[in-house]
Amino acid sequence: MTVVETPPPLPVRDRAALHERVPGALSPMLIRLAEERATGVLVREHGTLHLAEGRVVHAESPLAPGLDVLLTARGTLDPAVWPWTDDIPAAAQRLLAADLLPRGALELCRLGALYDAGYFALAPSSTPGRFRYGTTAAAGPWRAVPVADLERETLRRRELLHRIWPDPSADGAPLIRADPVAPPPVTPRQRAVLDRVDGVRTAPRIARELGRPAFHTLVDVRRLAAAGLLAPRSTAPAPPPLPPVTDPDIALLKRLRDALEAL
C-alpha cells in the first residue's frame, strides 16, 4: 500500500511581526512560503504564482496576456510555429530547443510576462489565497525570481501608477472616450489604446488585442485619464422612469397656474 503524505498546514504567525521583519510585504503567505522554500502553486483572486523551492518560476493572470500572446500578436513569432499548450514554460523550452528565438530575447520576454502577471496576482484581494504543495511549472533553463524581487517590482509599479493618476477606477472598468475642448497631443502608443476605447473594452482586453503587457497599457490608460481623454464607464443603475402624468395631475397643475396668475 502506498502512503501519501499530506504536507502540514502553514503555521499561523503573527502578522504584525511579519510586517516588521519584511516591511511592505504584499502577501504574508507568499513570504512564509519563500522562507520555507516551498514548491507548489499559490492561487489568488487575480492570478496564480508557481513556486519552486520558494522562488517564483511562472505567473499567470486572466488580466495579463501570456507569453504566447506577447510573442505572436505583433509578429515576433509566427503563430503557426508556437507550440500551443497550456504549459507556457514547457512551450518556451521548445522554442529555445528549436532555435526559433534567441535565448536572451526569449528570456527577457518571459520575465516581462512573469512580472506582468505577478503584478495582478499580488493585487489586493477580497478572498484568501490557497497554496497547493507539489509539482509546479518547471524552471528549466530559466531564471527563477526571488519573492522579494517580485514584491518590490509590484510595489514600484503601484507607486508609478499612483503618481501618474491616483484614481484606479479605469484599470478594470469598461472605458469611454472623453471630449475635452482642447485635447492634448498623444503618442502613437496612446493613440492605439485610445482608438480601441468604445465603452465595452477594458484596459486588460485592449492589452491583449494589442499584444502588449497589461501593465504598460495601464500606464497609457492612466496618462490618458489624467489628460481627460478617457474615463471609466459609470456602472451606476439608471434612474427609474418618471410616473406617467394623469388627467387629475393636469387639472391640478391648471388650478395652480390660475391661482398664481391671480396673485
Side-chain angles (χ1 to χ4, degrees):
M1 180 177 65
T2 301
V3 178
V4 178
E5 294 184 359
T6 302
L10 290 175
V12 178
R13 299 183 183 177
D14 182 67
R15 183 181 292 266
L18 174 65
H19 280 277
E20 183 178 349
R21 189 173 73 257
V22 188
L26 301 177
S27 170
M29 177 184 287
L30 183 58
I31 295 297
R32 298 203 310 266
L33 293 168
E35 292 175 347
E36 295 166 9
R37 299 178 61 85
T39 295
V41 180
L42 176 60
V43 180
R44 289 174 56 89
E45 184 177 8
H46 301 296
T48 302
L49 300 175
H50 295 251
L51 303 182
E53 296 186 354
R55 291 181 166 228
V56 182
V57 295
H58 182 56
E60 300 168 342
S61 172
L63 301 175
L67 183 62
D68 52 345
V69 175
L70 297 176
L71 288 176
T72 61
R74 292 184 291 169
T76 302
L77 190 69
D78 186 344
V81 303
W82 173 264
W84 293 104
T85 172
D86 292 335
D87 189 342
I88 299 298
Q93 293 188 44
R94 292 183 198 174
L95 293 176
L96 185 61
D99 200 23
L100 293 173
L101 283 174
R103 177 177 179 135
L106 187 56
E107 172 68 349
L108 185 62
C109 193
R110 186 196 73 89
L111 282 175
L114 187 153
Y115 279 112
D116 199 38
Y119 170 82
F120 293 99
L122 290 178
S125 173
S126 60
T127 59
R130 306 184 311 277
F131 186 74
R132 299 195 303 265
Y133 285 91
T135 58
T136 186
W142 314 111
R143 183 174 72 87
V145 175
V147 164
D149 288 0
L150 178 59
E151 291 217 337
R152 188 183 305 111
E153 175 61 15
T154 298
L155 284 172
R156 186 193 69 81
R157 294 182 178 208
R158 286 187 189 180
E159 292 168 359
L160 172 61
L161 290 179
H162 185 78
R163 288 197 305 269
I164 293 172
W165 184 245
D167 183 1
S169 58
D171 291 357
L175 301 171
I176 58 174
R177 297 277 293 267
D179 189 19
V181 176
V186 297
T187 66
R189 284 184 56 86
Q190 294 168 351
R191 173 57 60 189
V193 172
L194 198 57
D195 287 344
R196 285 165 174 77
V197 172
D198 58 359
V200 176
R201 291 180 172 96
T202 62
R205 178 175 169 183
I206 291 173
R208 191 172 298 276
E209 291 182 5
L210 292 174
R212 296 177 182 172
F215 175 76
H216 294 179
T217 305
L218 289 185
V219 170
D220 290 329
V221 165
R222 293 271 188 125
R223 285 176 173 155
L224 291 168
L229 293 172
L230 60 75
R233 191 187 71 196
S234 174
T235 56
L242 296 174
V245 179
T246 63
D247 290 339
D249 295 328
I250 295 175
L252 177 60
L253 289 173
K254 287 182 177 178
R255 289 198 298 271
L256 288 174
R257 183 196 62 188
D258 294 341
L260 290 173
E261 291 178 348
L263 293 177

Coordinates of all heavy atoms in Angstrom, one line a residue, residues 11-43:
P11 N 2.1 27.2 9.2 CA 2.0 27.7 10.6 C 1.4 29.1 10.7 O 1.7 29.9 9.8 CB 3.4 27.7 11.2 CG 4.3 27.8 10.0 CD 3.5 27.1 8.9
V12 N 0.6 29.4 11.7 CA 0.0 30.7 11.8 C 1.0 31.5 12.5 O 1.5 31.2 13.6 CB -1.3 30.6 12.6 CG1 -1.9 32.0 12.9 CG2 -2.3 29.7 11.9
R13 N 1.4 32.7 11.9 CA 2.3 33.5 12.5 C 1.8 34.9 12.7 O 0.8 35.3 12.1 CB 3.6 33.6 11.6 CG 4.3 32.3 11.4 CD 5.5 32.4 10.6 NE 6.1 31.1 10.4 CZ 7.2 30.9 9.7 NH1 7.8 31.9 9.1 NH2 7.7 29.7 9.5
D14 N 2.4 35.6 13.6 CA 1.9 37.0 13.9 C 2.1 37.9 12.7 O 3.2 38.1 12.3 CB 2.6 37.5 15.2 CG 2.1 38.9 15.6 OD1 1.0 39.0 16.0 OD2 2.9 39.8 15.4
R15 N 1.0 38.5 12.2 CA 1.1 39.3 11.0 C 1.9 40.6 11.3 O 2.7 41.0 10.5 CB -0.3 39.7 10.6 CG -0.4 40.5 9.3 CD -1.8 40.8 8.9 NE -2.5 39.6 8.5 CZ -2.7 39.2 7.3 NH1 -2.1 39.9 6.3 NH2 -3.3 38.1 7.0
A16 N 1.7 41.2 12.5 CA 2.5 42.4 12.8 C 4.0 42.1 12.8 O 4.8 42.9 12.3 CB 2.0 42.9 14.1
A17 N 4.3 40.9 13.4 CA 5.8 40.6 13.4 C 6.3 40.4 12.0 O 7.4 40.7 11.7 CB 5.9 39.3 14.3
L18 N 5.5 39.8 11.1 CA 5.9 39.5 9.8 C 6.2 40.9 9.1 O 7.2 41.0 8.4 CB 4.9 38.7 9.0 CG 5.2 38.5 7.5 CD1 6.4 37.7 7.3 CD2 4.0 37.9 6.8
H19 N 5.3 41.8 9.2 CA 5.5 43.1 8.5 C 6.6 43.9 9.1 O 7.3 44.7 8.4 CB 4.2 43.9 8.6 CG 3.2 43.5 7.5 ND1 3.3 43.9 6.2 CD2 2.2 42.6 7.6 CE1 2.3 43.3 5.5 NE2 1.6 42.5 6.3
E20 N 6.9 43.6 10.4 CA 8.1 44.3 11.0 C 9.4 43.7 10.4 O 10.3 44.4 10.2 CB 8.0 44.1 12.5 CG 9.2 44.8 13.2 CD 9.1 44.7 14.7 OE1 8.1 44.2 15.2 OE2 10.1 45.0 15.4
R21 N 9.3 42.4 10.2 CA 10.5 41.7 9.6 C 10.7 42.0 8.1 O 11.8 42.1 7.6 CB 10.4 40.2 9.9 CG 11.7 39.4 9.6 CD 11.6 38.0 10.0 NE 10.8 37.2 9.2 CZ 9.5 36.8 9.5 NH1 9.0 37.2 10.6 NH2 8.8 36.1 8.7
V22 N 9.5 42.0 7.4 CA 9.5 42.2 5.9 C 8.6 43.4 5.7 O 7.5 43.3 5.4 CB 9.0 41.0 5.2 CG1 9.2 41.2 3.7 CG2 9.7 39.7 5.7
P23 N 9.2 44.7 5.8 CA 8.3 45.9 5.6 C 7.7 45.9 4.2 O 8.4 45.6 3.2 CB 9.3 47.0 5.8 CG 10.5 46.4 6.5 CD 10.6 45.0 6.1
G24 N 6.4 46.3 4.1 CA 5.7 46.4 2.9 C 5.4 45.1 2.2 O 5.0 45.1 1.0
A25 N 5.4 44.0 2.9 CA 5.0 42.7 2.3 C 3.6 42.7 1.8 O 2.7 43.1 2.5 CB 5.2 41.6 3.3
L26 N 3.4 42.3 0.5 CA 2.1 42.3 -0.1 C 1.3 41.1 0.3 O 0.1 41.1 0.3 CB 2.2 42.4 -1.6 CG 3.0 43.7 -2.1 CD1 3.1 43.7 -3.6 CD2 2.2 44.9 -1.6
S27 N 2.0 39.9 0.5 CA 1.3 38.7 0.8 C 2.1 38.0 1.8 O 3.2 37.3 1.6 CB 1.3 37.8 -0.5 OG 0.8 36.5 -0.2
P28 N 1.6 38.0 3.1 CA 2.3 37.3 4.2 C 2.5 35.8 3.9 O 3.5 35.2 4.2 CB 1.4 37.5 5.4 CG 0.7 38.8 5.1 CD 0.5 38.8 3.6
M29 N 1.5 35.2 3.2 CA 1.6 33.8 2.9 C 2.7 33.5 1.9 O 3.5 32.6 2.1 CB 0.2 33.3 2.3 CG 0.3 31.8 1.8 SD -1.2 31.3 1.0 CE -2.3 31.2 2.3
L30 N 2.9 34.4 0.9 CA 3.9 34.2 0.0 C 5.3 34.4 0.6 O 6.2 33.6 0.3 CB 3.8 35.3 -1.2 CG 4.8 35.2 -2.3 CD1 4.8 33.8 -3.0 CD2 4.5 36.3 -3.3
I31 N 5.4 35.3 1.6 CA 6.7 35.5 2.3 C 7.0 34.2 3.1 O 8.1 33.7 3.1 CB 6.6 36.7 3.2 CG1 6.5 38.0 2.4 CG2 7.9 36.8 4.1 CD1 7.6 38.3 1.5
R32 N 6.0 33.6 3.7 CA 6.2 32.4 4.5 C 6.7 31.2 3.6 O 7.6 30.5 3.9 CB 5.0 32.0 5.3 CG 4.5 33.0 6.3 CD 3.6 32.4 7.4 NE 2.6 31.6 6.9 CZ 1.3 32.1 6.7 NH1 1.0 33.3 6.9 NH2 0.4 31.2 6.2
L33 N 6.0 31.2 2.4 CA 6.4 30.1 1.5 C 7.8 30.2 1.0 O 8.5 29.2 0.8 CB 5.4 30.1 0.3 CG 3.9 29.7 0.7 CD1 3.0 30.0 -0.5 CD2 3.8 28.2 1.0
A34 N 8.2 31.5 0.8 CA 9.6 31.7 0.3 C 10.6 31.3 1.4 O 11.6 30.7 1.2 CB 9.8 33.2 0.0
E35 N 10.2 31.7 2.7 CA 11.1 31.3 3.8 C 11.2 29.8 4.0 O 12.3 29.3 4.4 CB 10.6 32.0 5.1 CG 10.8 33.5 5.1 CD 10.1 34.1 6.3 OE1 9.4 33.4 7.0 OE2 10.4 35.3 6.6
E36 N 10.2 29.1 3.7 CA 10.2 27.6 3.8 C 10.6 26.9 2.6 O 10.6 25.7 2.6 CB 8.7 27.2 4.2 CG 8.3 27.7 5.5 CD 6.8 27.5 5.8 OE1 6.1 26.9 4.9 OE2 6.2 28.1 6.7
R37 N 11.0 27.7 1.6 CA 11.5 27.1 0.3 C 10.4 26.1 -0.2 O 10.8 25.0 -0.7 CB 12.8 26.4 0.5 CG 13.9 27.4 0.9 CD 15.3 26.7 1.1 NE 15.7 26.1 -0.1 CZ 16.4 26.7 -1.0 NH1 16.7 28.0 -0.9 NH2 16.8 26.1 -2.1
A38 N 9.2 26.5 -0.2 CA 8.1 25.6 -0.6 C 8.0 25.5 -2.1 O 8.4 26.4 -2.9 CB 6.8 26.2 -0.1
T39 N 7.5 24.4 -2.6 CA 7.2 24.1 -4.0 C 5.8 23.8 -4.2 O 5.2 23.0 -3.5 CB 8.1 22.9 -4.5 OG1 9.5 23.3 -4.4 CG2 7.7 22.6 -6.0
G40 N 5.1 24.5 -5.1 CA 3.7 24.3 -5.4 C 3.1 25.5 -6.1 O 3.8 26.3 -6.7
V41 N 1.8 25.7 -6.0 CA 1.1 26.7 -6.7 C 0.3 27.5 -5.7 O -0.5 27.0 -5.0 CB 0.2 26.1 -7.8 CG1 -0.6 27.2 -8.5 CG2 1.0 25.2 -8.8
L42 N 0.5 28.8 -5.7 CA -0.3 29.8 -4.9 C -1.4 30.4 -5.8 O -1.1 31.1 -6.7 CB 0.6 30.8 -4.3 CG -0.1 32.0 -3.5 CD1 -0.8 31.4 -2.3 CD2 0.9 33.0 -3.1
V43 N -2.6 30.1 -5.4 CA -3.8 30.6 -6.2 C -4.4 31.8 -5.4 O -4.8 31.6 -4.3 CB -4.8 29.5 -6.4 CG1 -6.0 30.0 -7.2 CG2 -4.2 28.3 -7.1

